[in-house]
Amino acid sequence: MENKRKLLDLVRDKIRFKHYSISTEKTYIFWIKHYIFVHNKKHPIEMGKEEIEAFLTFLATKKRVSLTTQNKGTAFCKAKMFL
């Protein structure tokens, strides 16, 4: 039986390997989870530019978050590079 690691565990491992701060790790994990739930639990590896743009638009229009928060929300885009 193949032992598959969960996405967030892989992200945490890579963040820690790169010696990012624990607050950065928590931020990335928060936004990755939010991104996944906004897209009906679709795996991020199956999503691309359109879903990222839709997520940022969602943050700006539906959640009405500040530009600073939107910028923090792009952390998941960086985290996606870890995959």
Side-chain angles (χ1 to χ4, degrees), residues 19-32:
H19 303 287
Y20 286 13
S21 73
I22 195 73
S23 63
T24 298
E25 177 182 327
K26 287 178 182 180
T27 300
Y28 280 26
I29 297 301
F30 171 83
W31 286 110
I32 291 168

Side-chain angles (χ1 to χ4, degrees), residues 2 8 10 12-13 21 36 39 46 50 62 71 78:
E2 188 177 327
L8 296 179
L10 293 172
R12 281 185 190 98
D13 287 349
S21 73
I36 290 169
H39 291 289
E46 299 170 358
E50 295 81 22
K62 301 292 184 190
N71 289 337
K78 293 179 183 178

Side-chain angles (χ1 to χ4, degrees), residues 30-31 34-35 38 52-76:
F30 171 83
W31 286 110
H34 197 58
Y35 177 68
V38 165
I52 292 170
E53 289 174 354
F55 180 65
L56 295 175
T57 299
F58 166 79
L59 290 178
T61 60
K62 301 292 184 190
K63 291 289 190 177
R64 295 185 180 182
V65 298
S66 69
L67 183 57
T68 302
T69 302
Q70 290 177 51
N71 289 337
K72 289 179 183 176
T74 61
F76 77 88

Side-chain angles (χ1 to χ4, degrees), residues 37-48:
F37 282 110
V38 165
H39 291 289
N40 300 315
K41 298 184 181 179
K42 189 175 179 182
H43 197 285
I45 204 86
E46 299 170 358
M47 296 187 270

